[in-house]
Amino acid sequence: MLDSQTRSDLGVTHHQGIARLRVFSAHASAMTLCLIDADGTVTRTVDMASMPGGIWQAECAELVNGQRYAVRADGPTTGTSAFDKHRLLVEPYARQVSNVGTVAVPIWTAQVVESEPFDWGTVRAPLLPLRDVVVYEAHVKGFTQLAPHMPEHLRGSYAGLAHEDTIAYLQSVGITAVELLPVHAFASESFLRRQGMANYWGYNTLGFFAPHADYASPGARAAGPHAIAREFKGMVKHLHAAGIEVYLDVVYNHTSEGGRGDETSMFRGLDNATYYRHDMHGNPVDQTGCGNSLDTSEAIVRELIIDSLRYWVEEFRIDGFRFDLAATLGRNAHHAFERHHPLLEAIVSDERLSDTKLIAEPWDVGMGGWQTGNFPEDWSEWNDSFRDHARSFWVRDIAEARSSGVHPEGAGAFSTSLAGSSNMFSDERGPLASVNFVTAHDGFTLRDLVSYNVKHNLQNAELGRDGTGDNRSWNFGVEGPSDSSSIETLRRRSMRNLLSTVLLSAGVPMLTAGDEVARSQKGNNNPYNQDSPLTWFSWDLSEIQLAQLAHTRRLIELRGKHQVLRPSSFNHGHALSEHGTRRRWFDALGNPMGDGSWQGPGGRTLQVLLDAYIPEADADFTGDAVLVDGERMLVDRLLFVIHGSEDDAALRAPAVDQVTGYRLLWDSTHEHPDEALSSSRVLVPGQLTGLAGPSVQVYAVDVEHAHHHI
């Protein structure tokens, strides 16, 4: 574990006014610094001196801003070592990475980028409470590549994401945090380049300290590394000024070097035995599915990751990180996952990362790789169980009921997810440990989830073998686009049901860019190599898409207005509390849900009454105040009605003391959210009415006087 005050001196730094390069390799026998021209010519070499602790060092006055450089390392070529004294290697702490070769045969080099002042003005990080975060997973290029609201030279760039109209759109939706697919410098895999394709997503890191240059505008790229860094900082500054946090999807589990026999560009040539995992026979241990796994049981690898995180927080003011395949990061020297792994603990305890949001993708493809719920306190996790339960309840189960006449499951697992997944996350961590989603970059879009039964990935040139087959999707009768108005109506309703589940559940909601407007990828559930309109966000929206956008906005508005939807702790009891929402569950006829009602297929209609204390100063509504421990509080209340069946059903709203009625706020059966407000629908407690499905309704709760029943 690193001391929070440690300052790494690896990479290019200045020591007593002299530029110095320091690189780690425990097994090298010699190392050379190479200065390189733009055409790839090595213009000068400097022998590096061996220092204690596996450090190799060279001082060189020519290591100035913009200078390209690389290193060569000599050493053993047997066992787990793979040294080649002729090969140019990227220095791991490089602030910019560039290719001086060709697309087909790249030669990667580093560039010196000295820190320079940046005018942040009076803009400060939003420092949002986690319960107020709505995450929007987006691709820097794909989000604005087709944007008509900006000059063409800014589209698909960091500056495009920072454009005032782009930010205004995010604000209008209600987004409070953008989570960017990888922006660390990355390379395309050799097998993709041989087919004339490129890596679009970016999960193939080449430089852990370098912004990906291709996402900068043409002017910034032409001006050089400093201009690229300034554009990136400008993006963060403008998003912060709008109250939007910036999270990075970071890939510290593997690198772009692939498996044994693939290209060597950095760690494999510097110290393969130390940086990568190997079994007792010296074979690579691949727990990522990408050919290699970084060995975080090694102190130098942990130091690299911590230094990288600190750099992005301190230099670029990043607010949070989503850690790709984070289970790999928590594996020990025997390749087994440890909840209290030194790296996972170090990231949480580091003072310089203390305000940073930490989100784990809590799995990898290795043995024991599924670790959802097992990360330490102060980590949040992508909750794949939430995703699966939501998809099953609203899509797969209804498809099976249409074919067999019986829903395979009740509402038990779904309702647990809705309430924050307390079966997976401890009371100490609470519901905010769960990042709730039904789609992500990896998998079907929301539109495709209700439009395709199977993946359609032949365009990826992997013979359809890539991408998951466990989609829990349904096409409602026709594969792909349909001319049937009834099919399209049900698809739209299902998308609204899924959106409401994400945005109204306890936990941290995450939307995938484009789901708010029903973006399709034509059934491709793994378009990692599709840099085209197939994956880009289209800003040309139909009336139907605008209606879905309006629903998304209304749901996020409800979430923001009602703290009862944003608990930070679990409430397992019967009493009201401030930070934990009390939930009282009823069946379709208003009776308390019995133990036998949850799992049976007949229990797919339920009502849940939510209430919690809200400090009067924080409340966005009026009501009678009560004193709780000397503080004036209001009670925030909502009623959900959830009907997970296509069959119509009878409904009787629960009769609860002092509740006089339930006023409709939102209804997934409506094509536009304003229809709910104009309907003036009120449920009278105990009165029998009808319910169409599958559907979700949200009601405000009218009571007599709060002090009468508290």
Side-chain angles (χ1 to χ4, degrees):
M1 186 177 295
L2 297 175
D3 182 83
S4 61
Q5 301 303 317
T6 299
R7 179 190 180 278
S8 173
D9 58 0
L10 294 174
V12 175
T13 60
H14 285 81
H15 181 67
Q16 297 180 349
I18 300 174
R20 181 180 73 183
L21 172 65
R22 287 165 66 93
V23 179
F24 173 86
S25 178
H27 296 92
S29 59
M31 194 173 294
T32 305
L33 164 64
C34 302
L35 302 183
I36 301 172
D37 270 350
D39 63 0
T41 302
V42 177
T43 60
R44 184 187 173 195
T45 61
V46 179
D47 291 337
M48 300 179 71
S50 178
M51 310 293 288
I55 302 297
W56 295 82
Q57 175 178 306
E59 294 182 347
C60 179
E62 294 172 75
L63 286 174
V64 296
N65 274 333
Q67 174 64 55
R68 289 181 173 83
Y69 69 100
V71 296
R72 289 174 173 149
D74 197 4
T77 58
T78 59
T80 56
S81 292
F83 289 97
D84 179 352
K85 64 181 179 181
H86 302 294
R87 184 177 297 277
L88 294 174
L89 303 169
V90 174
E91 179 268 303
Y93 280 69
R95 270 32 176 184
Q96 187 59 58
V97 178
S98 57
N99 179 15
V100 296
T102 63
V103 172
V105 185
I107 301 173
W108 295 103
T109 63
Q111 281 186 274
V112 178
V113 184
E114 296 178 4
S115 182
E116 66 173 10
F118 180 80
D119 182 14
W120 293 97
T122 60
V123 175
R124 297 292 180 266
L127 295 176
L128 298 174
L130 190 56
R131 72 178 186 182
D132 295 341
V133 168
V134 178
V135 180
Y136 190 74
E137 188 197 41
H139 189 285
V140 169
K141 178 178 181 180
F143 189 46
T144 64
Q145 185 65 26
L146 298 175
H149 57 256
M150 68 181 68
E152 186 173 352
H153 70 277
L154 296 182
R155 295 174 188 172
S157 69
Y158 300 125
L161 187 56
H163 191 277
E164 59 182 358
D165 290 341
T166 309
I167 292 176
Y169 171 80
L170 293 170
Q171 288 181 304
S172 74
V173 177
I175 301 304
T176 63
V178 291
E179 181 179 296
L180 302 178
L181 268 66
V183 296
H184 288 177
F186 64 87
S188 292
E189 295 88 338
S190 58
F191 74 88
L192 287 178
R193 300 198 309 272
R194 287 193 295 269
Q195 300 177 81
M197 307 179 82
N199 187 311
Y200 171 65
W201 282 350
Y203 293 89
N204 210 42
T205 308
L206 183 63
F208 293 106
F209 296 79
H212 191 61
D214 288 347
Y215 292 162
S217 62
R221 294 200 302 271
H226 277 96
I228 294 171
R230 284 194 296 270
E231 184 173 311
F232 193 105
K233 292 174 184 177
M235 173 190 70
V236 176
K237 177 180 177 179
H238 286 293
L239 287 165
H240 279 181
I244 299 173
E245 295 189 325
V246 182
Y247 306 159
L248 302 186
D249 196 335
V250 288
V251 187
Y252 295 116
N253 58 79
H254 76 282
T255 74
S256 63
E257 292 187 292
R260 177 182 285 173
D262 210 335
E263 296 173 344
T264 295
S265 56
M266 184 168 50
F267 293 131
R268 182 178 292 125
L270 286 173
D271 194 348
N272 187 53
T274 298
Y275 281 105
Y276 291 123
R277 293 186 176 275
H278 299 86
D279 64 20
M280 60 186 299
H281 304 293
N283 299 310
V285 174
D286 180 9
Q287 292 154 326
T288 65
C290 301
N292 64 66
S293 301
L294 281 171
D295 190 353
T296 54
S297 71
E298 294 283 354
I300 192 64
V301 177
R302 298 197 297 272
E303 181 177 350
L304 172 88
I305 293 171
I306 292 289
D307 286 343
S308 173
L309 295 172
R310 288 171 174 172
Y311 178 70
W312 288 96
V313 168
E314 295 175 346
E315 186 73 14
F316 294 98
R317 299 196 177 182
I318 294 303
D319 305 285
F321 300 94
R322 179 266 187 187
F323 294 81
D324 182 65
L325 298 182
T328 297
L329 306 184
R331 292 183 179 270
N332 60 25
H334 303 289
H335 316 306
F337 179 81
E338 290 182 343
R339 180 180 185 184
H340 297 292
H341 188 281
L343 177 61
L344 303 182
E345 297 283 1
I347 292 171
V348 167
S349 62
D350 193 286
E351 292 180 4
R352 291 153 69 178
L353 304 175
S354 59
D355 292 325
T356 306
K357 274 81 171 180
L358 305 173
I359 301 171
E361 182 184 39
W363 53 79
D364 62 18
V365 301
M367 186 71 70
W370 188 75
Q371 295 294 334
T372 307
N374 290 334
F375 275 68
E377 289 184 43
D378 298 319
W379 282 82
S380 295
E381 303 173 34
W382 273 23
N383 189 345
D384 55 323
S385 290
F386 179 99
R387 174 200 64 199
D388 292 346
H389 293 323
R391 289 185 176 195
S392 294
F393 188 82
W394 290 120
V395 184
R396 184 202 65 183
D397 291 1
I398 293 175
E400 292 192 21
R402 185 180 285 192
S403 63
S404 69
V406 178
H407 297 90
E409 295 181 5
F414 173 82
S415 60
T416 300
S417 295
L418 192 75
S421 301
S422 61
N423 62 324
M424 304 192 68
F425 301 101
S426 66
D427 285 357
E428 290 75 21
R429 300 181 68 192
L432 297 180
S434 176
V435 175
N436 299 329
F437 67 106
V438 293
T439 66
H441 66 277
D442 186 3
F444 278 150
T445 66
L446 187 64
R447 168 69 190 187
D448 290 353
L449 185 66
V450 298
S451 303
Y452 295 89
N453 283 351
V454 296
K455 62 186 178 181
H456 296 264
N457 293 5
L458 290 178
Q459 193 172 0
N460 299 347
E462 295 193 31
L463 301 179
R465 294 172 299 200
D466 64 305
T468 182
D470 182 18
N471 296 292
R472 307 188 188 210
S473 62
W474 183 34
N475 64 21
F476 285 83
V478 175
E479 189 75 352
S482 171
D483 294 330
S484 168
S485 60
S486 61
I487 287 176
E488 287 299 316
T489 296
L490 286 172
R491 286 175 174 177
R492 292 194 296 273
R493 185 186 297 183
S494 293
M495 286 191 284
R496 294 192 290 268
N497 290 336
L498 288 160
L499 282 170
S500 69
T501 302
V502 171
L503 293 170
L504 302 180
S505 292
V508 181
M510 186 187 81
L511 296 176
T512 303
D515 279 353
E516 75 277 17
V517 294
R519 183 179 71 87
S520 174
Q521 292 174 168
K522 299 181 180 179
N524 192 326
N525 75 349
N526 190 42
Y528 74 102
N529 55 11
Q530 300 299 318
D531 187 0
S532 71
L534 178 75
T535 52
W536 300 340
F537 186 103
S538 175
W539 296 80
D540 183 15
L541 304 178
S542 67
E543 289 299 318
I544 288 174
Q545 289 178 299
L546 289 171
Q548 178 147 317
L549 177 60
H551 275 287
T552 305
R553 287 170 170 160
R554 182 64 50 80
L555 289 166
I556 294 177
E557 286 174 6
L558 285 172
R559 184 177 186 87
K561 181 176 181 179
H562 293 279
Q563 287 192 32
V564 73
L565 298 173
R566 297 176 280 126
S568 56
S569 62
F570 294 118
N571 182 349
H572 301 295
H574 301 289
L576 283 170
S577 66
E578 178 183 350
H579 302 292
T581 295
R582 180 177 67 175
R583 287 175 170 79
R584 287 176 281 178
W585 303 88
F586 304 88
D587 64 18
L589 297 180
N591 303 310
M593 291 286 284
D595 292 341
S597 304
W598 294 101
Q599 305 307 327
R604 292 179 60 87
T605 303
L606 57 110
Q607 304 178 77
V608 53
L609 185 61
L610 296 77
D611 48 21
Y613 286 131
I614 305 297
E616 186 176 34
D618 298 339
D620 190 20
F621 56 89
T622 58
D624 291 337
V626 295
L627 289 177
V628 179
D629 296 330
E631 184 176 7
R632 290 171 61 85
M633 296 278 190
L634 304 182
V635 181
D636 191 13
R637 298 179 179 86
L638 290 174
L639 176 74
F640 292 171
V641 177
I642 298 166
H643 182 41
S645 170
E646 288 191 291
D647 296 331
D648 292 344
L651 178 73
R652 181 180 287 117
V656 177
D657 288 348
Q658 307 303 320
V659 172
T660 59
Y662 304 94
R663 290 176 290 107
L664 185 65
L665 298 177
W666 184 82
D667 189 343
S668 70
T669 66
H670 292 157
E671 288 291 334
H672 195 281
D674 288 347
E675 296 175 25
L677 299 180
S678 62
S679 71
S680 301
R681 178 179 170 91
V682 175
L683 296 182
V684 177
Q687 179 178 328
L688 197 65
T689 185
L691 183 63
S695 63
V696 178
Q697 289 84 37
V698 182
Y699 292 87
V701 181
D702 292 329
V703 297
E704 293 179 1
H705 293 288
H707 66 269
H708 286 167
H709 70 91
I710 292 178

